[in-house]
Amino acid sequence: QAKRFQEGNQPNKAGQYFERALNYAPESAALHHDYGILLGSHQQFEKAKQQFELALRYDPQSQPSKDALKMVTEALGKP
């Protein structure tokens, strides 16, 4: 449902669903990654960075999460 709200341009509702889903599956790299995408798309780069770092903790080989982390880190102006 989070993705449905995300696609329907309802980021607050999508964020609520991601947070609920993460309560049930806190080690889901995919959920952390997708939540990071949502946050980043709304310029919440620090929060997005945290989600991508968590995604990589649970799936260190995820190239999409590595790429996304690099992008938000650059957006924050950090090396």
Side-chain angles (χ1 to χ4, degrees):
Q1 271 206 316
K3 285 198 176 223
R4 191 179 83 209
F5 285 119
Q6 184 176 358
E7 291 167 359
N9 201 25
Q10 297 179 33
N12 292 335
K13 285 188 179 183
Q16 292 171 359
Y17 276 96
F18 275 117
E19 289 172 13
R20 268 194 224 142
L22 285 165
N23 282 331
Y24 291 102
E27 296 181 6
S28 171
L31 280 174
H32 285 290
H33 176 85
D34 289 347
Y35 191 21
I37 295 293
L38 172 71
L39 293 165
S41 70
H42 293 280
Q43 287 73 46
Q44 296 182 38
F45 299 124
E46 192 62 49
K47 290 179 180 180
K49 182 177 182 280
Q50 293 169 355
Q51 291 302 313
F52 295 130
E53 288 170 343
L54 287 167
L56 288 167
R57 179 185 301 167
Y58 300 119
D59 182 5
Q61 303 305 315
S62 172
Q63 193 60 49
S65 291
K66 289 178 185 179
D67 294 342
L69 178 61
K70 182 179 177 187
M71 288 174 54
V72 295
T73 301
E74 289 172 358
L76 288 166
K78 297 179 182 178

